[in-house]
Amino acid sequence: MSTARERILQATAELLATKAASAISTRAICDLAGVGMPEIYRQFGDKQGLLTAVADVGFERFLANKRRNPLTDDPVADLRAAWDSHVAFALRNPHLYRLMFTPAAEPGPRAIEDAQALLLAAVERCRDAGRLRTTPELAGRSILSANVGVCLMALSFPEPFGGPDVSQSVRDAVIGKVTGDEREDARVGTATVLAQALVGTLTGAAPVDPAAVDGLARALRPPMPEA
């Protein structure tokens, strides 16, 4: 049989499925849990203490989901998959996610340290494979900060920031930077050559063959889609 504490935590989590924490009253929690109002204060001190405890339970779910992610022979690909599962959790649990990652009081959820440790282990796999450009600690903090930022923007402003293209773009930029897996556009080098050629022509320092410049310009155009 569940305890009063467990029923209060469960009731709060159920209410968070459809409402923000600020919109949930202690009366509604007590009614759903089948307990008297004093029980919240006896178990958690106050409503904020209850919300912090619920956030820790949310982290337990979040981390359990993370630990189910399969590991492959490519630790960088596994980092990208972990990023995507993080975003998916946020989108499925918007109010709980905000409670977890935007605590309203100190101390915040203790389980954030467990989330950092799990990510650090994933980053250390990249280091051990020779695919890390910075320290694991800095890489882990950078990835988690960017991942949380993408999620909060998607939840707060879904129209411009909620699409998968935004998350994927930031994911590849951040993970690519710390692992050295940036996908450099080959046209960047061509653009540099073209700019140098044009500067030389304008200053008279180095006349350029017009046909060569035309070839460089064509190389900069995006590839035509296949029919």
Side-chain angles (χ1 to χ4, degrees):
M1 186 174 181
S2 60
T3 65
R5 182 182 180 87
E6 290 169 340
R7 294 200 305 276
I8 292 170
L9 288 171
Q10 179 61 33
T12 308
E14 288 180 20
L15 292 169
L16 276 171
T18 57
K19 293 182 180 180
S22 59
I24 300 174
S25 68
T26 53
R27 171 56 62 193
I29 295 170
C30 291
D31 288 347
L32 187 58
V35 300
M37 189 79 70
E39 195 65 36
I40 286 182
Y41 301 95
R42 216 173 1 251
Q43 297 288 342
F44 303 98
D46 56 19
K47 182 183 178 183
Q48 187 55 52
L50 166 60
L51 293 177
T52 298
V54 172
D56 274 322
V57 174
F59 268 109
E60 291 175 8
R61 288 175 48 198
F62 174 77
L63 294 173
N65 184 60
K66 286 277 192 182
R67 293 186 180 103
R68 285 194 292 269
N69 289 339
L71 298 182
T72 71
D73 293 333
D74 186 341
V76 176
D78 292 345
L79 270 183
R80 294 194 181 95
W83 174 294
D84 293 342
S85 71
H86 183 135
V87 174
F89 180 92
L91 296 179
R92 288 195 307 269
N93 306 278
H95 303 304
L96 176 61
Y97 187 86
R98 285 196 183 95
L99 184 63
M100 291 163 55
F101 285 98
T102 58
E106 294 291 342
R110 296 182 302 274
I112 186 65
E113 297 176 3
D114 296 329
Q116 290 175 300
L118 190 62
L119 179 55
L120 180 62
V123 171
E124 286 174 340
R125 290 184 65 229
C126 297
R127 178 202 60 194
D128 295 344
R131 299 179 68 184
L132 198 64
R133 280 183 168 182
T134 184
T135 65
E137 293 76 14
L138 179 57
R141 289 195 297 268
S142 300
I143 293 169
L144 185 57
S145 297
N147 210 169
V148 172
V150 162
C151 291
L152 292 177
M153 290 299 284
L155 296 179
S156 300
F157 306 99
E159 185 60 33
F161 295 105
D165 54 334
V166 174
S167 175
Q168 291 166 7
S169 177
V170 178
R171 177 199 66 192
D172 292 345
V174 175
I175 294 178
K177 184 68 175 178
V178 300
T179 63
D181 276 12
E182 297 102 329
R183 291 175 173 79
E184 182 177 354
D185 192 334
R187 291 178 293 165
V188 172
T190 305
T192 301
V193 174
L194 178 57
Q196 293 171 339
L198 292 176
V199 169
T201 299
L202 292 172
T203 61
V208 178
D209 180 359
V213 173
D214 184 63
L216 289 170
R218 284 198 303 273
L220 287 172
R221 297 188 187 112
M224 296 293 291
E226 296 183 2

